[in-house]
Amino acid sequence: MKKIKTDSLFSEEEQQQNISLYLLRREIVLSGQFRFILNIVLFFLLTSFSQFSFAQSKGSSKVPFRFFFTLEHQTIKGKLGGYRFHTVKLRKYHRISETDTVENFGGRWVVKGIMNDNLKPVPFRVSESAYPDNQSIKITNPNNFFNRTHIELEFPDSVQFFGAGEQFSYVRLPENLKKPLPLWIEEPGIGRGDLPVSLLTRPVGVSGNKHTTCYALPLWITSDFQTIFVNQPNKLIYYQIYRKKGKKYLHLVVSGNELQVQVQKHKDVKSLVRNISFFKGHTGIPDFGYSGVLGLQGGRKRVDSILSLTLNSGVAVQSVWIQDWVGKRKVSFGSRLWWNWQANEQVYPDFPHWVDSLRQKNIRVLGYINPFLADTGFYTTEALRNGYVLKNSKGEHYKINAGGFDAYLVDLFHPEAAEWMIEIIRKEMIDKGLSGWMADFAEWFPPDALTHNCKGGCAVLHNMYAAEWARINKEAVKRAGKEDDIIVFHRSGYYHSSMNTTLFWMGDQMTDWGKNDGFPSVLNAINSSALCGIPFIHSDIGGYTSVKYPLVRTLRSRELLYRWSELAAFTPFFRTHEGLNPELNFQYYSDLEALAFFARMSQIHYSLKAYFLALQNEAIQYGFPVNRPLWMEFPDDKETLNAFHQFMLGSEIIIIPVISPNKTQVKGYLPAGTWQHAFTKQQFSGNKWYIFEAPQGTPAVFFRKNGEWDAELSKIFTNFVQ
């Protein structure tokens, strides 16, 4: 049995990330003195426990694998705090104690018993459906003293793990973790360990790490096509993967005295994704979304000028996205958006008329919103008066330092506040003519906050805040009757967010080549999200976060923008962002050469519209992601498990992007079949690794010969052969 460590579930590095993690960690910290005493007590308890096993009732299926479970108490009361552990080891065919009972109900068995730790008896109940391909395990204990429940599932050492939501530093989940990781949505951080920028961001607690994510899911996927899912949305959940004695273990921890986990076996990756997808039944991306989307700002005059230049240069574009439609406010270090959710007529005069005039020219306008309210403003006053914002532990309005000013988070769990927010979106955005928006910032719910319906212990609502934000945005669009005509894209997500969101974007990558937070992290996000059933995802072309200091400089270069555009042309939403420092970053409109390059990539993207729409129908009907790893299409080819630096568009196109600077070649794998280079017409046989030539403008992209789309894709790419 693995010894459970009593260290905090959060490391010192995680403590520095933000105040939310600090507050949560503070509740479970142990003193060094108490750990010594606890180890002695644990040794006594663990050596005195009885060992139980599940007996096989006549006609029932065998238990699919061995597992352990643990009940744990965490407390913040008293000077030292403490843990207590109660452990039972479960083994097949081992004799059950006479004090325990085994019941079988037509393929579902239940074990009931008493754990005796020589201090007091503890009743438990473990139930499992014994169907070979669908194991549903439930551990319950009636004693509310226990507020953490663990389960450790055993797998062969050859099994690899994926999932847990969108990942940026890896697709294959790390093993031999020293302690469980929290499934905790947050801003992924700036740098995430990449040097040198993390040297600046780590001391101030905003660097993030390799595990931080803005879209977490309690879902794990194995290389032998199993899924492990914890269906307890209003719980704190942690996970750990480790090796011991030739086996691998998935260790799950859930807050409370009950744990429910579902383990399912599937025939391949596509059937796995089809079963887990929360997206089925969605309407997909509106038609205009498959043309380019220009991220511009700076006021009506500037946007009109750059848009005109762009259209005259042959760029395929049908939308402009203006995040500063609300205007900006000056702060000590620059400027920030006004979070008052009303059009700024000084920056964008006659806003509704301007939006309508662009629509008449076949150009849609998209905006920006988040669930914060600035410290001053009409809607802020109204929200504070009606009690529509989160409260702190004293019952006061919870002020959050948003960077240069204080702000309040709307209490989305308050029914009246949710309706009020829906009405703001309708009145200020939809009725003003906006065809969509970025729905940002749902990761900031403080764990010590109080809501309308929760007066303590509300940290369990942190992740669900993002899901509620997605629901509210969708409800506003639905009530307006424009589900087929409005695009809403989110950064954060949890549980059912996908079914309430048009698409997602990957957050704020650095404008550099960093493995964990730069351009290469986009590939990990694409492939990991696909395996978690997230069907539509995209990134800011060229990245967002840039810094310029004497010794640290991460500004977008021409080469980075070009390579990012090559990748983005094969994702469903082709959207630019000027970045954190527009005047310092290289832009697609910086010179005529860049405009010509960007026009070519946008035209490639738009020429694939029919193919994108076919893939969208697959996503709606089956939940299949538009972009996906090779492993999804070729699950029996073990080499595809080593090819996460590339991805597919549907089942017919493979993209192998150049993700390092100053390179004109790229290594990639082609699976079974014959594959034709999209831009040179050269054909390659599959089941082989190659070194491909990939100069700027001619990315390594291949489509399947003799496939369903062979003729159509051949015709499309002929127009772009160089």
Side-chain angles (χ1 to χ4, degrees):
M1 177 65 189
K2 179 182 182 294
K3 179 181 177 181
I4 308 294
K5 293 186 178 182
T6 58
D7 295 73
S8 163
L9 294 179
F10 292 101
S11 67
E12 289 298 323
E13 180 183 4
E14 289 163 338
Q15 180 186 5
Q16 297 173 2
Q17 295 310 308
N18 53 47
I19 187 63
S20 298
L21 285 182
Y22 170 74
L23 291 171
L24 189 59
R25 183 181 188 275
R26 187 175 61 182
E27 294 181 359
I28 60 177
V29 70
L30 289 174
S31 72
Q33 180 183 7
F34 186 71
R35 291 177 190 151
F36 175 76
I37 300 172
L38 181 61
N39 285 335
I40 297 175
V41 176
L42 281 174
F43 177 80
F44 173 77
L45 294 179
L46 293 174
T47 55
S48 62
F49 287 152
S50 299
Q51 292 186 347
F52 299 91
S53 328
F54 290 111
Q56 293 299 118
S57 301
K58 185 177 181 180
S60 68
S61 301
K62 292 182 178 180
V63 180
F65 46 73
R66 183 171 137 194
F67 62 89
F68 315 108
F69 78 87
T70 306
L71 300 177
E72 172 190 341
H73 172 67
Q74 294 184 2
T75 179
I76 60 173
K77 296 181 179 179
K79 186 175 181 180
L80 297 176
Y83 284 54
R84 287 175 65 189
F85 294 85
H86 298 266
T87 305
V88 174
K89 185 178 283 189
L90 307 172
R91 293 180 178 174
K92 295 184 294 184
Y93 304 114
H94 188 78
R95 182 178 173 180
I96 301 285
S97 169
E98 293 180 358
T99 61
D100 299 326
T101 61
V102 179
E103 302 172 4
N104 187 282
F105 303 96
R108 181 176 183 272
W109 46 257
V110 177
V111 176
K112 301 176 182 177
I114 299 292
M115 291 184 284
N116 194 330
D117 63 2
N118 294 330
L119 297 176
K120 66 177 183 177
V122 181
F124 71 88
R125 176 187 176 97
V126 180
S127 61
E128 183 177 26
S129 62
Y131 297 101
D133 295 334
N134 191 340
Q135 302 293 329
S136 190
I137 304 167
K138 184 176 181 180
I139 301 171
T140 56
N141 176 270
N143 191 337
N144 289 327
F145 173 78
F146 298 99
N147 55 19
R148 290 290 186 275
T149 305
H150 301 240
I151 188 169
E152 297 178 68
L153 306 174
E154 183 179 284
F155 296 86
D157 188 60
S158 59
V159 165
Q160 301 175 38
F161 291 88
F162 310 91
E166 180 185 28
Q167 306 296 337
F168 297 97
S169 296
Y170 45 72
V171 179
R172 185 183 295 103
L173 296 178
E175 300 170 358
N176 294 325
L177 294 171
K178 294 181 179 180
K179 61 185 67 180
L181 296 172
L183 277 176
W184 185 264
I185 66 169
E186 58 184 303
E187 293 206 49
I190 302 174
R192 296 170 51 86
D194 289 338
L195 298 177
V197 68
S198 294
L199 296 176
L200 294 177
T201 57
R202 188 177 293 122
V204 294
V206 296
S207 67
N209 58 58
K210 293 181 179 180
H211 314 302
T212 47
T213 180
C214 46
Y215 194 144
L217 278 176
L219 169 72
W220 295 267
I221 298 148
T222 68
S223 54
D224 60 353
F225 315 134
Q226 294 186 74
T227 54
I228 302 95
F229 180 61
V230 177
N231 190 18
Q232 293 174 277
N234 290 325
K235 297 289 185 181
L236 299 176
I237 301 173
Y238 314 82
Y239 78 96
Q240 177 187 26
I241 301 166
Y242 68 91
R243 278 193 177 97
K244 185 177 180 181
K245 295 182 179 180
K247 299 289 185 180
K248 281 184 185 173
Y249 294 89
L250 176 61
H251 173 200
L252 304 176
V253 187
V254 175
S255 62
N257 61 348
E258 179 176 300
L259 183 148
Q260 301 176 41
V261 60
Q262 185 177 30
V263 183
Q264 287 187 280
K265 177 70 175 178
H266 309 270
K267 67 177 183 178
D268 55 30
V269 187
K270 292 187 80 170
S271 62
L272 177 157
V273 171
R274 180 175 181 175
N275 186 70
I276 66 175
S277 176
F278 296 120
F279 191 79
K280 289 173 284 189
H282 203 284
T283 53
I285 298 175
D287 188 76
F288 70 88
Y290 285 106
S291 188
V293 182
L294 305 180
L296 302 174
Q297 56 189 317
R300 176 173 174 173
K301 183 177 180 180
R302 182 176 185 271
V303 171
D304 282 342
S305 175
I306 297 176
L307 175 61
S308 177
L309 173 66
T310 303
L311 292 172
N312 291 335
S313 299
V315 177
V317 57
Q318 282 186 256
S319 305
V320 291
W321 168 59
I322 50 169
Q323 64 174 4
D324 66 340
W325 69 286
V326 291
K328 291 186 177 183
R329 62 187 295 177
K330 291 184 178 180
V331 296
S332 59
F333 54 84
S335 63
R336 299 289 306 277
L337 297 179
W338 263 111
W339 293 349
N340 57 10
W341 315 131
Q342 294 178 303
N344 189 306
E345 291 286 337
Q346 292 182 332
V347 181
Y348 293 96
D350 199 5
F351 183 74
H353 179 266
W354 177 66
V355 171
D356 183 64
S357 67
L358 287 178
R359 187 162 185 156
Q360 298 302 317
K361 300 174 183 177
N362 202 30
I363 299 295
R364 303 294 189 101
V365 179
L366 311 181
Y368 172 95
I369 192 172
N370 66 55
F372 275 108
L373 294 170
D375 48 357
T376 61
F378 172 77
Y379 286 122
T380 302
T381 301
E382 190 171 78
L384 296 179
R385 182 176 64 246
N386 294 324
Y388 289 164
V389 301
L390 297 178
K391 303 292 195 300
N392 61 24
S393 58
K394 297 179 181 180
E396 303 166 337
H397 299 136
Y398 202 129
K399 284 187 178 181
I400 298 173
N401 186 335
F405 61 93
D406 290 333
Y408 305 94
L409 268 178
V410 177
D411 182 359
L412 302 181
F413 301 108
H414 189 321
E416 292 181 11
E419 288 294 319
W420 178 78
M421 197 72 199
I422 290 170
E423 180 62 16
I424 289 176
I425 293 172
R426 181 199 63 78
K427 178 181 177 181
E428 301 294 348
M429 303 182 82
I430 299 175
D431 288 356
K432 297 289 177 65
L434 291 180
S435 296
W437 51 85
M438 173 187 282
D440 200 5
F441 272 129
E443 309 93 340
W444 281 54
F445 181 95
D448 61 337
L450 306 180
T451 74
H452 176 70
N453 295 318
C454 179
K455 305 306 179 183
C458 307
V460 294
L461 299 176
H462 172 87
N463 288 352
M464 287 303 296
Y465 191 84
E468 190 65 12
W469 178 231
R471 185 196 68 80
I472 285 172
N473 278 269
K474 181 180 180 180
E475 185 63 23
V477 175
K478 181 179 179 180
R479 292 185 188 181
K482 295 190 175 184
E483 290 179 282
D484 296 328
D485 200 44
I486 283 180
I487 296 172
V488 182
F489 50 104
H490 291 248
R491 174 176 67 180
S492 58
Y494 193 61
Y495 268 84
H496 299 290
S497 293
S498 286
M499 67 187 296
N500 289 320
T501 305
T502 314
L503 74 159
F504 291 86
W505 101 97
M506 302 172 195
D508 303 334
Q509 278 77 41
M510 297 291 299
T511 54
D512 64 13
W513 307 86
K515 176 182 178 182
N516 297 297
D517 197 26
F519 181 36
S521 68
V522 169
L523 281 170
N524 292 326
I526 288 173
N527 286 320
S528 62
S529 298
L531 291 175
C532 289
I534 302 171
F536 294 101
I537 191 167
H538 75 291
S539 64
D540 298 331
I541 297 176
Y544 170 77
T545 307
S546 55
V547 297
K548 183 182 180 182
Y549 294 102
L551 298 179
V552 180
R553 180 186 177 95
T554 60
L555 301 178
R556 183 192 299 157
S557 66
R558 179 190 300 272
E559 182 186 13
L560 181 70
L561 181 67
Y562 283 12
R563 291 304 193 187
W564 212 310
S565 300
E566 291 172 353
L567 180 150
F570 297 92
T571 62
F573 206 55
F574 189 76
R575 178 182 60 83
T576 68
H577 198 313
E578 292 182 315
L580 182 61
N581 297 292
E583 68 283 357
L584 299 178
N585 286 319
F586 189 84
Q587 307 291 351
Y588 78 86
Y589 52 77
S590 291
D591 57 38
L592 294 179
E593 178 191 322
L595 270 167
F597 187 96
F598 188 74
R600 172 178 164 81
M601 292 302 126
S602 72
Q603 291 162 4
I604 290 171
H605 178 268
Y606 187 67
S607 71
L608 293 168
K609 181 178 177 180
Y611 185 53
F612 276 121
L613 290 174
L615 296 178
Q616 176 168 286
N617 290 335
E618 275 191 359
I620 293 171
Q621 187 172 0
Y622 304 114
F624 295 155
V626 172
N627 292 126
R628 59 194 71 164
L630 275 66
W631 182 48
M632 185 175 293
E633 290 294 333
F634 301 90
D636 297 325
D637 185 345
K638 299 305 180 184
E639 286 297 317
T640 60
L641 289 170
N642 299 314
F644 291 124
H645 63 290
Q646 55 194 78
F647 67 100
M648 298 190 73
L649 175 57
S651 61
E652 305 300 308
I653 300 177
I654 294 175
I655 302 94
I656 311 172
V658 174
I659 54 176
S660 299
N662 305 314
K663 301 291 184 182
T664 57
Q665 293 181 324
V666 63
K667 183 179 180 180
Y669 180 74
L670 297 179
T674 300
W675 300 85
Q676 180 168 312
H677 196 295
F679 305 112
T680 68
K681 292 191 174 182
Q682 185 177 356
Q683 295 188 3
F684 298 84
S685 58
N687 291 322
K688 290 183 182 180
W689 287 90
Y690 293 91
I691 302 293
F692 298 108
E693 295 296 324
Q696 292 178 21
T698 310
V701 176
F702 306 86
F703 63 92
R704 192 198 305 257
K705 292 300 296 179
N706 303 314
E708 181 181 355
W709 281 81
D710 181 11
E712 184 66 22
L713 293 176
S714 294
K715 182 179 179 181
I716 290 172
F717 288 123
T718 295
N719 298 320
F720 300 99
V721 170
Q722 288 186 326

